[in-house]
Amino acid sequence: MVNRPDTVYLFGTCLIDLFYPQAGVSAVQLLQREGIKVIYPQAQTCCGQPAWNSGYRDQAREVARTQLALFPKPIPIVVPSGSCAGMMKVHYPELFAGQADEAQALAIAGRVYELTEFLVDVLHIRLQDWGEPIKVAVHTSCSARREMEVADRIESLLGQLTR
């Protein structure tokens, strides 16, 4: 377990950047609410997973390599996506095995947390329900469930909001 940091990187993912920017803003707000300074490297793009999943290893490495240089400080990298977190934490070590930047990729992989994992396991966030009851549906991604093994963290967070 990591000590409670005061600063983290946020890897916003290409989907948040292009389609769901409010999800990224909400992630920043949750972290800041807990007193965490959030660094958002502006040059970030994609983790490389689309190319990786399609079997294009060289192209995935090229895209991923661009991301490696964006997280130089030895602080957590919080990712609001089980898929992207899984790519960075689980697949970067394989993708960069035997490459000149393997050590850098391993260092990055060792600092990656999916957002709900970070909120529950590192920050021990406590939520209070101040709103009217609503029904929600949760779909846990395969990557959150199988690669990151954090599928129960969202349930833990939502469980704090039931009366």
Side-chain angles (χ1 to χ4, degrees):
M1 178 183 287
V2 128
N3 291 331
R4 185 183 176 95
D6 59 1
T7 305
V8 300
Y9 287 112
L10 181 72
F11 183 78
T13 82
C14 53
L15 287 175
I16 286 176
D17 183 43
L18 296 172
F19 298 108
Y20 302 107
Q22 187 54 48
V25 170
S26 294
V28 169
Q29 289 171 337
L30 275 169
L31 293 165
Q32 288 177 336
R33 185 194 94 149
E34 296 299 308
I36 305 297
K37 177 183 174 191
V38 178
I39 300 171
Y40 187 90
Q42 292 297 310
Q44 63 183 286
T45 59
C46 176
C47 66
Q49 184 187 40
W52 170 264
N53 287 347
S54 298
Y56 294 100
R57 300 305 194 242
D58 292 338
Q59 292 83 352
R61 190 175 304 107
E62 183 178 333
V63 171
R65 184 169 279 130
T66 302
Q67 308 317 301
L68 295 181
L70 300 177
F71 306 101
K73 295 180 183 180
I75 59 176
I77 303 164
V78 179
V79 186
S81 162
S83 299
C84 296
M87 179 65 191
M88 296 171 81
K89 187 172 193 79
V90 176
H91 299 296
Y92 275 16
E94 180 182 348
L95 183 63
F96 288 97
Q99 300 289 312
D101 39 13
E102 179 179 13
Q104 187 179 14
L106 289 170
I108 294 287
R111 295 187 283 126
V112 168
Y113 293 86
E114 188 273 338
L115 175 62
T116 62
E117 170 192 24
F118 190 78
L119 294 173
V120 171
D121 295 348
V122 178
L123 297 184
H124 307 288
I125 193 170
R126 300 305 312 156
L127 302 174
Q128 288 186 299
D129 189 352
W130 297 102
E132 291 297 316
I134 61 169
K135 289 186 179 186
V136 297
V138 174
H139 171 77
T140 304
S141 73
C142 295
S143 296
R145 184 170 303 286
R146 294 187 181 97
E147 290 175 344
M148 295 299 292
E149 298 180 352
V150 298
D152 62 334
R153 300 325 189 274
I154 188 66
E155 295 164 10
S156 172
L157 290 170
L158 289 175
Q160 293 179 31
L161 300 177
T162 59
R163 295 180 191 189

